[in-house]
Amino acid sequence: MTSPALFLDPIHNGPSYDPHAPIALPDGGQQQRGQVAPAHSSGNRVQVGSFNVPANANRLRARLQNAGLPAQVHRARGYDVVTLGPFGTASEAHSALGSVRGMGFSDAFIRR
């Protein structure tokens, strides 16, 4: 099965785009581009994709973050996994799931 994320073009945010600039996180912190976030066990998450190539996961994370979604990359079982969340309620997770499916990621699913 192939994810549409494999065919994403690099994301550019206009002339001031700096691919090495830190990414703002929902909690107010920052994460360096290409850095893998630690996995969190609490709350619902939406898994959008998993990748052998870290650059593909990072491109998807950037695309989702540019759409206003709380995307992160986690390392699991040798793959870079792109997730959204964690969400405090199931309805928030379902709303995010609907958003990414509307973007063409029909294989996305909720993880608990």
Side-chain angles (χ1 to χ4, degrees), residues 11-67:
I11 304 290
H12 297 286
N13 296 330
S16 64
Y17 175 74
D18 178 0
H20 303 290
I23 298 169
L25 298 176
D27 64 4
Q30 291 186 340
Q31 175 177 324
Q32 289 301 115
R33 292 187 187 277
Q35 182 180 358
V36 176
H40 301 284
S41 58
S42 63
N44 294 313
R45 293 188 167 278
V46 175
Q47 182 170 325
V48 184
S50 58
F51 302 89
N52 278 329
V53 179
N56 292 338
N58 290 325
R59 280 200 321 258
L60 176 56
R61 176 184 56 195
R63 178 178 174 187
L64 295 170
Q65 287 176 337
N66 286 339

